[in-house]
Amino acid sequence: NNPFELWYPEKRPFFLEEEDFYNTSIDAVHTRTLADPNYGIKLTGKEGANTIGFFTAQDAVTNLVIPSLEGSDADAQEMRSYGTVLRYLRDYGQSSNIGLLLTDREGGDYYNRLLGLDGIFRLGKKDHIKWQVLGTRTRYPDNIALKHDQTMGGFGGEGIYANYSRNTEKYNFFGTYQQMSPDFRSDLGFVNQVGYRYADVGGEYIWRAGPGRWFNWINVY
């Protein structure tokens, strides 16, 4: 009895190859949305600190997840659409990077376009910052907009994610913030809830025992 659309794993070899390269904090690429592809092409390559990935596929059916704050609707249109993803990542230092993500899904009078930046910054061995900013532009077919009470014509939305963490031998600390505007849509990804702001702060302290003590460690979180 879940009011939100369920996530299912990808199992098709064409999409599984280099799948991790397209993963980001906000799930903006989920290839299961391409339900019945007729054909596709995929390219991934790395040169020095630069990595680029691209794929496009024609889908015989256009499946849609229409999210809201308290639940999500699903619909399927018997129309062909093209789903395209472009991903670029540049490494800095030993474990930092910045990335660009572009997705586009179009068919008939429908489109969903997404553009975003994301990155991971490691400040020494203990501090870690992860962030992502996305903007989308969407237009549903008129019958879908009327059926699901969506905006007629084009509309736009934004998604933001930020996380800071500090990890040491004795203690850990983290802070997370995420915001999804009501009109954010990621039709080539899996975002089944929008219209919220979320913040979370926490940490833990660990006492580790020396030889002969009655405990190995105690954790307060």
Side-chain angles (χ1 to χ4, degrees), residues 98-178:
I98 187 168
L100 170 73
L101 178 65
L102 171 66
T103 74
D104 179 73
R105 195 181 190 199
E106 304 203 24
D109 57 354
Y110 155 77
Y111 63 79
N112 173 251
R113 298 159 186 160
L114 177 148
L115 176 64
L117 293 171
D118 62 278
I120 298 174
F121 298 145
R122 298 189 187 276
L123 311 175
K125 297 181 179 180
K126 300 177 181 179
D127 299 285
H128 169 276
I129 297 173
K130 193 173 185 180
W131 60 276
Q132 185 171 19
V133 178
L134 298 173
T136 65
R137 190 74 185 169
T138 306
R139 187 190 191 284
Y140 289 126
D142 290 345
N143 64 317
I144 292 292
L146 290 171
K147 179 180 178 181
H148 297 279
D149 194 25
Q150 298 296 297
T151 302
M152 300 292 289
F155 59 93
E158 304 82 35
I160 300 171
Y161 174 89
N163 172 266
Y164 165 76
S165 63
R166 180 176 177 84
N167 299 299
T168 72
E169 184 178 353
K170 292 185 176 181
Y171 70 90
N172 301 317
F173 171 82
F174 69 88
T176 300
Y177 178 80
Q178 183 163 327

Side-chain angles (χ1 to χ4, degrees), residues 33-39 57-64 76-84 104-112 141:
T33 57
L34 298 167
D36 188 15
N38 292 317
Y39 60 85
Q58 186 200 67
D59 203 357
V61 179
T62 303
N63 287 333
L64 296 171
Q77 295 288 292
E78 294 293 332
M79 69 174 181
R80 292 182 178 179
S81 60
Y82 292 86
T84 303
D104 179 73
R105 195 181 190 199
E106 304 203 24
D109 57 354
Y110 155 77
Y111 63 79
N112 173 251

Side-chain angles (χ1 to χ4, degrees), residues 30-102:
H30 180 53
T31 52
R32 279 292 299 263
T33 57
L34 298 167
D36 188 15
N38 292 317
Y39 60 85
I41 185 171
K42 187 175 184 180
L43 300 168
T44 306
K46 185 175 179 64
E47 180 67 30
N50 303 293
T51 307
I52 191 166
F54 167 84
F55 70 81
T56 187
Q58 186 200 67
D59 203 357
V61 179
T62 303
N63 287 333
L64 296 171
V65 175
I66 302 173
S68 67
L69 176 61
E70 298 180 345
S72 59
D73 293 329
D75 211 313
Q77 295 288 292
E78 294 293 332
M79 69 174 181
R80 292 182 178 179
S81 60
Y82 292 86
T84 303
V85 175
L86 175 65
R87 174 72 166 152
Y88 169 75
L89 200 65
R90 180 172 177 82
D91 297 329
Y92 291 95
Q94 294 185 346
S95 54
S96 298
N97 61 58
I98 187 168
L100 170 73
L101 178 65
L102 171 66

